[in-house]
């Protein structure tokens, strides 16, 4: 009899534990506290990305702890450690560079805090992060090069404005672009330098390029983001060059200002990098916490845009052009 009572009590005790062990997170993520370690605010696209994540968190009832890393990895690592100390439910990391993350991500894992990577990639051990939400940077580079090859019949000397050295966006866009132009004997990158994804950097590097070689020998500018290209167009105009006509331009991001530049004839094309990654990232956190298995990569799609729809896109993306 005593054994039968013991078994009954044990079963009841286990039954009481079941709701806790299999508690489900609300599909919206409402009630969760999530730390977001952002790269910085170096470009208009990055600012739009941050604003989109914050708005998405507010709409879902998520308590978002936001940290601006100011483009410094040490700031992002400190933010992650602060998130861990505060006992967040999950961490979203947009890494400034690919390497150097294993130690701090291991600290998150040791505290059972899942980490979702967004935008740029990391080289950290695969067991230390749940999934990555991002665009296909290699595809963006390929798309930009394919347009330029078509526009120039595969005959073009190109100057390149690279993004932040060591970032996956810069590395992958460069890889994709180079893969395509390698198919054409008369397409070549003749000068390349990092503008660090900033408008000021793009202007300074383009000024250097124009002082290094005869502008008449430059067929096109390939910029890893729109802000660097807008800076480069300012340098060209100050040098008496007509950007978009004398020198073709192609960049990535699709921020409002590049559409205005296209409408004014100063830019030729941009490949879209969607800033709306907050929703998919929060969905990934919820799915993981609810016990689902996620793929290594959750892609966010974008297209290529030209001057024919530039003003329409500018008005739509800048709140009616106000």
């Amino acid at each position: 009899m005593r054994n039968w009572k013991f078994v009954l009590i044990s079963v009841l005790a286990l039954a009481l534990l079941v709701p806790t062990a299999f508690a489900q997170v609300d599909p919206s993520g409402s009630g969760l506290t999530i730390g977001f370690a952002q790269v910085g605010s170096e470009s208009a696209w990055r600012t739009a990305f941050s604003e989109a994540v914050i708005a998405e968190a507010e709409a879902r009832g998520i308590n978002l702890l936001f940290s601006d890393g100011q483009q410094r990895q040490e700031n992002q690592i400190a933010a992650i450690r602060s998130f861990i100390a505060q006992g967040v439910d999950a961490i979203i990391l947009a890494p400034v560079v690919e390497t150097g993350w294993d130690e701090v991500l291991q600290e998150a894992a040791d505290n059972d805090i899942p980490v979702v990577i967004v935008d740029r990639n990391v080289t950290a051990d695969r067991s230390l992060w749940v999934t990555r939400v991002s665009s296909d940077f290699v595809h963006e580079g390929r798309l930009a090069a394919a347009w330029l090859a078509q526009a120039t019949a595969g005959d073009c000397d190109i100057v390149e404005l690279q993004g932040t050295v060591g970032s996956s966006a810069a590395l992958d866009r460069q890889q994709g672009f180079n893969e395509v132009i390698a198919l054409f004997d008369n397409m070549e990158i003749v000068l390349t330098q990092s503008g660090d994804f900033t408008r000021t950097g793009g202007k300074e590097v383009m000024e250097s390029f124009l002082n290094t070689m005869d502008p008449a020998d430059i067929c096109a500018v390939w910029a890893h983001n729109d802000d660097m290209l807008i800076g480069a167009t300012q340098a060209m105009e100050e040098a008496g060059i007509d950007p978009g006509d004398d020198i073709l331009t192609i960049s990535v991001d699709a921020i409002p200002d590049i559409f205005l530049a296209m409408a004014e004839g100063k830019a030729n094309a941009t490949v879209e990098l969607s800033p709306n990654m907050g929703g998919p990232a929060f969905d990934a956190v919820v799915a993981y916490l609810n016990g689902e298995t996620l793929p290594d990569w959750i892609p966010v799609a974008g297209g290529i845009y030209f001057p024919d729809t530039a003003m329409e896109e500018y008005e739509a993306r800048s709140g009616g052009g106000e």
Side-chain angles (χ1 to χ4, degrees):
M1 179 62 75
R2 290 184 61 186
N3 288 338
W4 183 87
K5 288 183 177 178
F6 177 77
V7 171
L8 178 60
I9 292 171
S10 298
V11 170
L12 290 173
L14 286 172
L16 290 173
L17 289 174
V18 165
T20 300
F22 292 93
Q24 294 289 295
V25 175
D26 187 278
S28 68
S30 177
L32 293 178
T33 295
I34 298 176
F36 175 33
Q38 174 63 288
V39 169
S41 53
E42 76 282 1
S43 66
W45 181 86
R46 184 69 55 185
T47 300
F49 176 20
S50 295
E51 291 174 349
V53 173
I54 292 170
E56 184 73 20
E58 290 177 352
R60 290 170 176 247
I62 292 171
N63 177 30
L64 187 72
L65 307 181
F66 178 82
S67 173
D68 182 334
Q70 300 179 328
Q71 290 187 279
R72 298 175 68 89
Q73 185 180 35
E74 57 265 38
N75 291 344
Q76 291 196 293
I77 290 174
I80 292 172
R81 288 184 170 138
S82 174
F83 296 153
I84 294 171
Q86 294 177 72
V88 298
D89 296 298
I91 293 171
I92 296 174
L93 168 63
V96 64
V97 294
E98 288 191 343
T99 59
W101 296 103
D102 286 83
E103 183 177 347
V104 73
L105 295 188
Q106 183 63 60
E107 293 172 25
D110 291 343
N111 286 274
D112 296 323
I113 298 174
V115 176
V116 171
I117 307 298
V118 295
D119 187 28
R120 302 175 186 177
N121 206 356
V122 296
T123 58
D125 188 282
R126 181 61 190 87
S127 66
L128 300 179
W129 46 279
V130 172
T131 186
R132 177 181 172 222
V133 176
S134 75
S135 294
D136 186 338
F137 297 144
V138 175
H139 176 71
E140 291 167 354
R142 289 172 180 156
L143 199 57
W147 170 79
L148 190 57
Q150 185 179 40
T152 64
D155 186 358
C156 188
D157 284 343
I158 306 155
V159 297
E160 179 186 45
L161 299 172
Q162 292 183 27
T164 300
V165 175
S167 68
S168 56
L171 294 169
D172 291 353
R173 285 173 188 160
Q174 186 176 46
Q175 176 191 330
F177 191 89
N178 290 349
E179 285 176 356
V180 173
I181 68 169
L183 302 174
F184 299 89
D185 293 338
N186 295 321
M187 293 189 79
E188 180 184 6
I189 291 178
V190 292
L191 291 172
T192 180
Q193 188 174 329
S194 173
D196 206 22
F197 284 129
T198 68
R199 200 167 294 199
T200 300
K203 185 173 186 290
E204 292 174 350
V205 172
M206 193 65 205
E207 289 171 344
S208 173
F209 287 166
L210 295 175
N211 290 327
T212 300
M213 64 183 294
D214 186 343
D217 294 332
I218 300 174
C219 164
V221 177
W222 150 231
H224 289 193
N225 82 340
D226 292 337
D227 277 287
M228 288 193 297
L229 182 61
I230 290 170
T233 62
Q234 294 170 354
M236 285 187 270
E237 289 181 310
E238 291 175 8
I241 297 165
D242 188 2
D245 189 7
D246 295 336
I247 298 177
L248 298 177
T249 72
I250 175 71
S251 54
V252 182
D253 276 355
I255 64 172
D257 282 356
I258 198 66
F259 288 107
L260 186 59
M262 282 199 286
E264 295 172 344
K266 300 178 183 178
N268 300 108
T270 185
V271 179
E272 184 179 40
L273 171 62
S274 173
N276 300 314
M277 300 184 196
F282 293 141
D283 288 341
V285 168
V286 170
Y288 177 81
L289 294 176
N290 284 336
E292 296 181 28
T293 300
L294 299 175
D296 289 349
W297 179 38
I298 299 173
V300 179
I304 186 167
Y305 292 85
F306 305 105
D308 60 333
T309 62
M311 186 51 69
E312 177 184 343
E313 292 292 336
Y314 173 71
E315 292 177 350
R317 295 167 189 249
S318 61
E322 296 176 356

